Amino acid sequence: MDILSIVIIISSIIALLYAGVQAFLIIREDEGTERMKEIAKAIQEGSKAFLNRQYRTVAIVAAVLAIIIAVALPDGWILAIGFVVGAAGSAIAGYIGMHISIRANVRTANKAKEGIKKAFSLAFRGGSVTGLSVVGIALLGLSVFYFWLHNPELMVGFIFGASLISLFARVGGGIYTKGADVGADLVGKVRYGIPEDDPRNPAVIADNVGDNVGDCAGMGADLYETYVVTALSSMLLAYTLNLSYEYVVLPLIFGAVAILATLISIPFVSVKDTKWIMGGLYKGVVITAVISAIGFYLISVYVVNDIRVFYAGLIGLVIMALQVVITEYYTSYRFKPTLKISESSQSGTGITIITGLAYALQASFVPALYISAGILISFFIFGGSITGMGIYGISVAATAMLSVAGIIISIDSFGPITDNAGGIAEMAELPEDVRNITDPLDAVGNTTKAVTKGYAIASAALAALSLFAAYYEVISAHGFTMDLLTIINPPVLVGLFIGATLPFFFTSFLMNAVGKAAYSIVKEVIRQFDEIKGLMEGKAKPEYDKCVDIVTRTALRELVLPGVIAVVTPIAVGFILGPLALGGLLVGVILSGFALAILMTVGGGAWDNAKKYIELGNFGGKGSEAHKSAVVGDTVGDALKDTAGPAINPLVKVVNTISILFLALILAFHLL
Amino acid sequence: MDILSIVIIISSIIALLYAGVQAFLIIREDEGTERMKEIAKAIQEGSKAFLNRQYRTVAIVAAVLAIIIAVALPDGWILAIGFVVGAAGSAIAGYIGMHISIRANVRTANKAKEGIKKAFSLAFRGGSVTGLSVVGIALLGLSVFYFWLHNPELMVGFIFGASLISLFARVGGGIYTKGADVGADLVGKVRYGIPEDDPRNPAVIADNVGDNVGDCAGMGADLYETYVVTALSSMLLAYTLNLSYEYVVLPLIFGAVAILATLISIPFVSVKDTKWIMGGLYKGVVITAVISAIGFYLISVYVVNDIRVFYAGLIGLVIMALQVVITEYYTSYRFKPTLKISESSQSGTGITIITGLAYALQASFVPALYISAGILISFFIFGGSITGMGIYGISVAATAMLSVAGIIISIDSFGPITDNAGGIAEMAELPEDVRNITDPLDAVGNTTKAVTKGYAIASAALAALSLFAAYYEVISAHGFTMDLLTIINPPVLVGLFIGATLPFFFTSFLMNAVGKAAYSIVKEVIRQFDEIKGLMEGKAKPEYDKCVDIVTRTALRELVLPGVIAVVTPIAVGFILGPLALGGLLVGVILSGFALAILMTVGGGAWDNAKKYIELGNFGGKGSEAHKSAVVGDTVGDALKDTAGPAINPLVKVVNTISILFLALILAFHLL
């Protein structure tokens, strides 16, 4: 083993050690009162029950797929091992993250007694366990595999494993989290007029479980996948271009550098008061980005000896920063779009939805412009030739953007912890001064989620593009050359066309699933209020576990159809219409998937914060007509931003990974 | 002149003669009571005022563009003449259609006294004036130009003229119609609790004007454009491929055949009762399609001597039929999607919106599949080669689909006439037995609008694809060959990416404009109710003209920005990023534009009919909680289906026409 490989592997181990130590320190903290422990336990049990059942379902699918891969594909056994390891890595990262998240929540609520500084710090450290676990496991898996096989082509099983888990975690977790949330809100706030997180609401635990399985486990699996997909596709490109060893392992070096940068930044992430909590989190992003940039410079000069690597890396970091800024612009009530949505709520619910949709539709155009600029600049820096290193340049930018995933996931996982902490404080009826700490912490979770989702979709699009470049390299070696892959060729055009409608079709089932899951919760809660005497008066306890169980079953049932659509469509198009149409499909999915995912996540975030702005006392405040309209906007936005929108990320990647995996078969047996 | 050209020109003149005679007969009918005349007059004045002001604004833009075209482009003067004639044709067709529409409305209301059969017939004949004027003028313009110049390349000015008017008519009319409608509903139904079309509501005339300027003039201009774009791009392809004369003028022959088929079908369009009024209209489509198919067969055998022409033509007609069926499926309450939306309204407004969005997201996938199948089959029938006649085969299918535009526009224009007739009957307080005729006629207008919109977007996509093929022919002659136009080439990819977000960005301004226009109406109506004493009691008259004036000004102001975006984006991309990126952009706009337009029009139609289904007494009927939720769904749907969605059609086409028009300049001066 050379020095580079040792540095990479050690970095990934350091990330995991950090996560372990941090987890140990967090668990040692005090959980607070008996009531708090009790509530936390209910959330823990619900979360574990869901994740266990979800993983059991996925394990069966994965086992079947592993056998198919092993038997049907050339080098099947190696691909199958990679597939299992990739999937297991994602599952383990998700599991660790959630394990800590559902313990840090109650401890954060308890820590809030000692002030914002300590509560914030604990919640962020909890999030960082997920963040560092994800990048640590991803980097370790990739590097061990690479230093064993020395051939990225044999590693595509690994990314398909990651894709599969990510798809299920995002879709299942997404349906769960919003089915429970929307259901609990509809029946609690709207029907019975009891506040959010009220312990009398039988769906309240399910709602808190949802935050963890959706935002923590779901987002972790999603970015784990994007991370490995981006790294591997860049490695594949370098490998097929016969570039030197340093270029091939560049994504791993970037990853190692960024892990160290992230670890350095963590102690600086802090706040003094509740004024601008997001600012405290942004400190981590800025410091990580700056140190990473310095690291990329040193690598480009002293390791790769190619300054272009630094420029492309910088482009990736700039895109990341711009994406954060623009998402903040569209979803924070410090800026016009969200304020306008708040204001429009005074004219009725219809106008609230129309105005929200208007801004949501707007939000993808400018990102498309700067991502396009980034793509073109990195392409031309690296010579501007398709057959040369140009495309590799784009993948370097993507890799750089993804390398900082650790800090982004940390911030994202901060969200469900503080969200839960707020809920626990409410349910355990903690004194008002504690709630004055947990409430603003809870509120900022909303922004962190929106911002990380913007990052996730932009990086997913870049990852998928890199992967598509790898796809192209393979098919062009089989005679499907550039001139055939032209947009004027009807098979390609048709593939693009079907691909562009796929994200719409796929998310339609997710939206419906949220409706169904919410409806099942509403029915169950009404049943409990009808049958359990004294529940409304707070004299009897609701059956929390029944709600958790119902929404778990609905989510797992409803993830089947979209899951099948995502996996079968590319395979069907590939075998029936051939590799050219499939190439078109892959690009088509990215194109409309990007715009649709941004529409959904931005719209949802903006409606949510528009509601929060009214709740601060503006436009009539809580209980006003404007507030009622804003609540409806928030409900619609919830399904869009936490279920349908984020599920597009794994869709965009899974169609690409599955196509690359089955490409050899498709090239051998296709109809057209 | 040969026999073919004479037949074509005579057909177009027959269409215009029919429209003239029909118009004369309609105007001779009785207008009814003084009150009805008075209301009709207000609608007529409002409609004319809007159209005049809109045309005046557009005329200035057109004059500037005509001068630019004449001076800056090679063969500029011919292109400029074509541009002016194309634009004028569209404007005249829109004007004639609206002129009759706003006269047929009151006469239909009056005719309803004599029963459904006669009222239906009058309304449909009114619609057919628009339908036949549009195809007659389009065909006449195209054929006179072609037989003069004998070179389709010199005719691209004509389609750009049509595009420009269509863009403004759709966007301006769309903002007007829904600004007035949503505003009137919000303030009338929601705030003051007075029924729709109540004469006390000062916005009621503006609302009725909107139906005419949006659905009649707007849709007419839209399909006029699609018709000429499809025909001309097919002619361009045949011309550049050096095909024989018969192939070049095939779109004109198809058009002539379909005009005769439409005229034959018109007498058969009738209903006996109010049970399934849509069935009466479908008779016209079926008969027109069958006779056209026979005509296409005879042409392919006896004129072109190429049976493939018949097959491709048949594919076009089949796509048309499937598009009608699937739109009906998604938007009629006889089928599951709309019923489910109705049912979900019982769980609250949020779930109504979520469920509606779910089905709206779903509705583009299956059309993408059969349109793709149609594209591939016509491509392979014609040899399956890009450099050969394959692409021409696709354009033949598109031409066939568009040839029946006459009957489709007739059915579409039936909508605003019966919609207005219902409003006039309500405002003039006609007896209940008359309203029992006008109400179901009004209701069916909803379905006709949805169905024709489905047809309009599918045909716009095919038209734009044909046009893109023509674009490709030109750039490939300048060295931008197929292998460069590959989806893996970053400039192309970037073009696709920007293009795919453009329809989202463009419609965002339309959605906002509806909100603004509605808000201005709400303010004005509240002012009138406050200031005009006795208005609520029906003792004083509202100032209808003030509302008409306000929404006219808002619509014309708000159409500027989206208009500029549509025109400037392709030019900017072309000059900055070059013809390859521009090619990508053109395809990208089609891809996501298609899915987004279907989402918007289907969603809107489904919400509208879900509300209507509840109003029939289901799920609690009028005034129930479910109804309130459904009304919000309908409001959101209105902005989507009548403003934003339909505006995507001209966007998709105008980016293509403007690119072709400026291509020579772009090829000479581009940055990348």
Side-chain angles (χ1 to χ4, degrees), chain A residues 298-615:
Chain A
L298 297 175
I299 288 164
S300 71
V301 173
Y302 296 106
V303 179
V304 197
N305 210 348
D306 183 347
I307 192 69
R308 300 176 303 179
V309 161
F310 169 64
Y311 295 138
L314 211 54
I315 287 168
L317 294 175
V318 169
I319 291 176
M320 186 270 292
L322 289 173
Q323 193 62 26
V324 169
V325 169
I326 201 157
T327 313
E328 170 100 23
Y329 171 74
Y330 274 108
T331 59
S332 158
Y333 53 66
R334 298 187 299 131
F335 300 101
K336 192 184 148 196
T338 302
L339 285 177
K340 281 275 169 194
I341 298 171
S342 279
E343 192 192 324
S344 73
S345 300
Q346 300 172 101
S347 309
T349 312
I351 300 291
T352 312
I353 305 286
I354 290 175
T355 311
L357 280 176
Y359 286 109
L361 284 161
Q362 209 176 92
S364 56
F365 188 68
V366 173
L369 292 183
Y370 58 70
I371 291 175
S372 293
I375 288 175
L376 287 179
I377 296 171
S378 12
F379 177 67
F380 284 109
I381 288 176
F382 277 85
S385 151
I386 309 170
T387 46
M389 280 178 77
I391 309 278
Y392 176 78
I394 300 171
S395 81
V396 172
T399 306
M401 182 172 178
L402 258 302
S403 67
V404 298
I407 187 76
I408 301 282
I409 300 169
S410 304
I411 290 173
D412 182 72
S413 302
F414 171 89
I417 294 173
T418 57
D419 200 333
N420 268 213
I424 292 169
E426 176 107 17
M427 284 186 272
E429 288 158 0
L430 296 189
E432 194 167 329
D433 61 320
V434 175
R435 301 255 283 275
N436 284 341
I437 304 287
T438 53
D439 281 353
L441 278 177
D442 182 356
V444 81
N446 208 22
T447 310
T448 63
K449 281 190 249 173
V451 164
T452 48
K453 270 168 204 151
Y455 169 84
I457 178 61
S459 59
L462 277 177
L465 282 180
S466 305
L467 210 51
F468 172 69
Y471 174 89
Y472 163 73
E473 291 294 337
V474 181
I475 65 166
S476 69
H478 284 78
F480 293 95
T481 43
M482 265 197 284
D483 55 326
L484 293 175
L485 206 60
T486 172
I487 43 176
I488 192 71
N489 196 6
V492 178
L493 204 50
V494 156
L496 281 165
F497 199 38
I498 297 172
T501 54
L502 186 58
F504 289 75
F505 191 60
F506 172 76
T507 49
S508 106
F509 296 98
L510 291 162
M511 294 291 284
N512 253 332
V514 171
K516 282 185 202 169
Y519 185 64
S520 67
I521 283 283
V522 168
K523 267 203 313 193
E524 171 62 17
V525 170
I526 291 175
R527 184 195 68 78
Q528 293 199 20
F529 272 115
D530 283 353
E531 293 180 7
I532 303 173
K533 278 173 192 157
L535 181 55
M536 184 53 87
E537 296 74 31
K539 287 175 193 158
K541 273 196 187 170
E543 298 165 9
Y544 296 126
D545 55 331
K546 285 266 168 69
C547 285
V548 169
D549 189 57
I550 284 172
V551 72
T552 299
R553 269 186 288 131
T554 314
L556 292 179
R557 193 177 59 234
E558 295 295 324
L559 72 70
V560 176
L561 191 55
V564 168
I565 289 169
V567 171
V568 168
T569 309
I571 295 184
V573 167
F575 281 115
I576 298 171
L577 302 178
L580 292 173
L582 181 54
L585 179 127
L586 300 182
V587 173
V589 172
I590 299 170
L591 295 175
S592 76
F594 176 77
L596 195 59
I598 292 211
L599 182 156
M600 289 173 162
T601 50
V602 159
W607 272 311
D608 200 340
N609 280 329
K611 185 196 70 175
K612 287 226 155 69
Y613 185 69
I614 292 176
E615 287 174 351

Side-chain angles (χ1 to χ4, degrees), chain B residues 137-269:
Chain B
I137 292 176
L139 190 59
L140 188 64
L142 281 172
S143 39
V144 166
F145 250 80
Y146 179 74
F147 296 123
W148 167 39
L149 298 167
H150 288 282
N151 180 354
E153 283 178 4
L154 296 175
M155 289 164 70
V156 291
F158 192 88
I159 55 173
F160 181 57
S163 280
L164 192 79
I165 297 287
S166 148
L167 181 71
F168 281 97
R170 260 296 189 211
V171 172
I175 297 171
Y176 187 109
T177 183
K178 287 306 121 165
D181 186 6
V182 171
D185 280 4
L186 275 179
V187 73
K189 285 193 221 169
V190 181
R191 187 174 177 119
Y192 293 106
I194 53 179
E196 197 170 330
D197 288 326
D198 189 291
R200 289 170 295 173
N201 188 338
V204 72
I205 295 293
D207 183 9
N208 279 285
V209 167
D211 294 332
N212 294 298
V213 302
D215 283 305
C216 183
M219 179 61 101
D222 184 359
L223 284 176
Y224 169 90
E225 182 203 8
T226 308
Y227 191 94
V228 299
V229 160
T230 314
L232 191 75
S233 53
S234 182
M235 294 167 80
L236 265 172
L237 279 173
Y239 184 81
T240 42
L241 289 167
N242 275 318
L243 301 183
S244 71
Y245 171 68
E246 286 77 16
Y247 286 110
V248 177
V249 296
L250 188 69
L252 308 180
I253 313 177
F254 271 19
V257 166
I259 283 179
L260 301 177
T262 306
L263 289 174
I264 295 172
S265 81
I266 287 177
F268 295 96
V269 179

Side-chain angles (χ1 to χ4, degrees), chain A residues 358 361-362 485 487 490 504 508, chain B residues 358 361-362 379 485 487 490 504 508:
Chain A
L361 284 161
Q362 209 176 92
L485 206 60
I487 43 176
F504 289 75
S508 106
Chain B
L361 284 161
Q362 208 177 91
F379 177 67
L485 206 61
I487 42 177
F504 288 74
S508 107

